[in-house]
Amino acid sequence: MGKRAAAAAPAVAAWKRQRGTGPRSKVNTIIAALRDTSLASEATAAAREMLAAGAVSALSSVIENRHGMQETISGHIKEVLEDISERLSKQVEEAKEARATTEADLELQKAQLQQSQDELQEAKATIEAKETVLQAAKTTLKETEQATAASASQMRTLTKEKDSLEKEQEKYKDLNDNSFKVLLEKGPDAGANEKETKTICDKLMREITKLSAEPALLASAPAVLLKRAEDRKGFDVHVLGSMQSILAARLDDIAGKLEANATSIAALEPEASSRKEAGEKAQAEKDAAQAELDAAQRAADEKKASLNKAQNTVEGTTAALDERSSAITTALQEVEAFGDVLACHNFLASRSSVVPEELPAEPEEVKAETAKGEPAETAVAA
């Protein structure tokens, strides 16, 4: 587990590794920095490699023994190192500017998030208001439907009554015209034969019986009806007159009921028409309220989607802000770490000694690093 974790950890730059405190260790640190291509500078890679190659000779000598050309190389090395340092410092400022921009973006996005939340609440309030309107419209529609149904029921009852009265009117007109009057005029000759005449008379008497005629009239009427007109006497005329009065009264009663029925229908028709119009209006208002509620719900769905998007944006920017802060920390650490490289050069450039120091022998661990592929110039240990 430990080996896998070590393998996964990012490699530390060679110039950051602890190499000791001696001059050669400092020279190796400078050489490693010059050869680190991740450290940007104006100098080309070839120029930096040339300076790295000459760093041991240029920086290992004390100032009293240093040749002008060594000073020149040391000066060029210093320029490159200072350029790298300035660029690293600039990266800190750029990281801070990026964080400031991200912070400003985050504040704006938070304001937009709050606006989205407010708009969603407003959309929900609108839905509640539209639901109230719709419920009221449904209640009104139900009431108008009930009123319309009541009017329709009344109209059906009146129409049914009218049809029944008209049918009964036709029946009694037929009895009066085709039974009573025929028997009144023709007597026994009302039918084609005696049997048919009796049938006509019996049919008439059945209906007269239903009209609550007096028993005496019912008893004497058939014989009177079957007499010839010239054979009828005073009592017979009285019987026939009574029968005619009964039929006329029945027709008058039916006519009166038809008139009352027509009056009721005429009075109901405007009310039924008004209720129908009210029902159509209530249906239209209900449909409009439903459409407005549907539109409000769609708008709320859009607001919710916008809110989710705003939340995701804020979360993403918050994560980006954390990354910007980490980038600043990393950049500051790079500046601080590279300060040690500058300190190494300052130390070496100003190192003075009356007795010149000889280059120490190359230690075994540096040889091992050389075998791994590092340049020979950097393999000088303290």
Side-chain angles (χ1 to χ4, degrees):
M1 181 68 181
K3 291 182 178 180
R4 285 199 297 270
V12 179
W15 57 273
K16 294 181 182 179
R17 297 174 193 160
Q18 182 64 36
R19 294 177 178 271
T21 60
R24 284 302 176 86
S25 176
K26 297 180 184 300
V27 171
N28 288 340
T29 297
I30 292 171
I31 292 172
L34 290 172
R35 287 177 171 167
D36 190 341
T37 57
S38 67
L39 297 173
S41 70
E42 185 178 356
T44 63
R48 287 170 61 170
E49 178 59 34
M50 179 191 70
L51 294 175
V56 173
S57 298
L59 299 175
S60 295
S61 301
V62 294
I63 193 168
E64 289 83 3
N65 297 334
R66 198 171 298 157
H67 190 273
M69 295 183 67
Q70 290 174 307
E71 289 287 356
T72 300
I73 294 174
S74 176
H76 288 314
I77 291 174
K78 180 179 180 181
E79 289 177 4
V80 173
L81 295 179
E82 288 178 344
D83 181 30
I84 292 173
S85 179
E86 289 176 1
R87 290 172 185 265
L88 290 175
S89 297
K90 186 176 180 181
Q91 288 177 3
V92 172
E93 296 306 316
E94 290 174 349
K96 289 180 178 180
E97 289 176 3
R99 183 176 66 179
T101 300
T102 303
E103 286 175 342
D105 291 342
L106 182 59
E107 289 304 312
L108 178 60
Q109 291 164 6
K110 285 182 177 179
Q112 292 173 340
L113 174 60
Q114 183 60 52
Q115 181 179 352
S116 296
Q117 291 173 336
D118 294 341
E119 289 177 353
L120 179 58
Q121 290 304 316
E122 291 176 2
K124 289 181 178 179
T126 300
I127 287 176
E128 291 179 359
K130 297 299 182 182
E131 287 176 341
T132 300
V133 172
L134 177 60
Q135 188 57 46
K138 287 181 177 179
T139 300
T140 301
L141 177 59
K142 184 177 181 180
E143 292 172 352
T144 57
E145 287 175 342
Q146 290 174 342
T148 301
S151 295
S153 177
Q154 292 174 345
M155 186 63 75
R156 285 193 300 271
T157 299
L158 289 172
T159 301
K160 184 177 180 181
E161 180 186 54
K162 175 176 174 288
D163 293 342
S164 177
L165 288 171
E166 288 178 345
K167 183 177 180 180
E168 190 171 6
Q169 186 182 53
E170 289 297 321
K171 182 182 74 172
Y172 280 101
K173 281 183 178 181
D174 180 69
L175 282 174
N176 185 65
D177 296 340
N178 298 317
S179 294
F180 177 71
K181 287 184 177 181
V182 172
L183 287 169
L184 182 65
E185 294 174 2
K186 297 182 179 181
D189 298 325
N193 50 53
E194 182 179 354
K195 182 178 180 181
E196 184 177 338
T197 299
K198 186 175 184 305
T199 299
I200 295 173
C201 182
D202 290 342
K203 177 181 178 183
L204 176 61
M205 291 311 300
R206 282 195 299 271
E207 295 302 324
I208 294 295
T209 300
K210 294 178 182 178
L211 299 178
S212 302
E214 296 179 357
L217 177 63
L218 296 175
S220 58
V224 173
L225 290 170
L226 294 176
K227 287 182 179 181
R228 297 183 184 281
E230 61 271 18
D231 295 336
R232 293 171 183 149
K233 304 302 179 182
F235 177 75
D236 297 333
V237 174
H238 172 72
V239 169
L240 294 174
S242 298
M243 292 185 66
Q244 188 172 21
S245 297
I246 291 173
L247 290 173
R250 180 57 180 160
L251 287 170
D252 289 343
D253 180 63
I254 293 173
K257 290 181 178 180
L258 281 172
E259 184 177 356
N261 177 272
T263 300
S264 297
I265 290 176
L268 181 61
E269 283 178 344
E271 180 181 349
S273 177
S274 176
R275 288 179 175 180
K276 182 180 178 181
E277 290 177 1
E280 292 173 349
K281 181 181 178 182
Q283 181 65 54
E285 290 177 349
K286 180 261 181 184
D287 292 342
Q290 183 66 63
E292 290 182 4
L293 175 59
D294 293 342
Q297 289 174 332
R298 288 193 296 272
D301 291 340
E302 292 175 359
K303 298 300 182 184
K304 186 175 181 180
S306 296
L307 175 60
N308 291 337
K309 183 178 179 181
Q311 287 174 333
N312 292 336
T313 300
V314 168
E315 290 173 0
T317 304
T318 300
L321 184 60
D322 292 339
E323 293 176 0
R324 299 286 186 269
S325 298
S326 297
I328 292 174
T329 300
T330 300
L332 287 171
Q333 290 172 347
E334 289 290 293
V335 170
E336 182 180 1
F338 200 78
D340 293 339
V341 179
L342 292 176
C344 287
H345 182 272
N346 291 336
F347 172 81
L348 294 171
S350 61
R351 188 165 63 94
S352 175
S353 177
V354 176
V355 180
E357 293 183 356
E358 295 181 1
L359 292 177
E362 184 172 325
E364 292 299 324
E365 60 267 22
V366 175
K367 291 181 179 180
E369 290 183 6
T370 303
K372 293 179 180 178
E374 291 193 3
E377 290 82 355
T378 65
V380 180

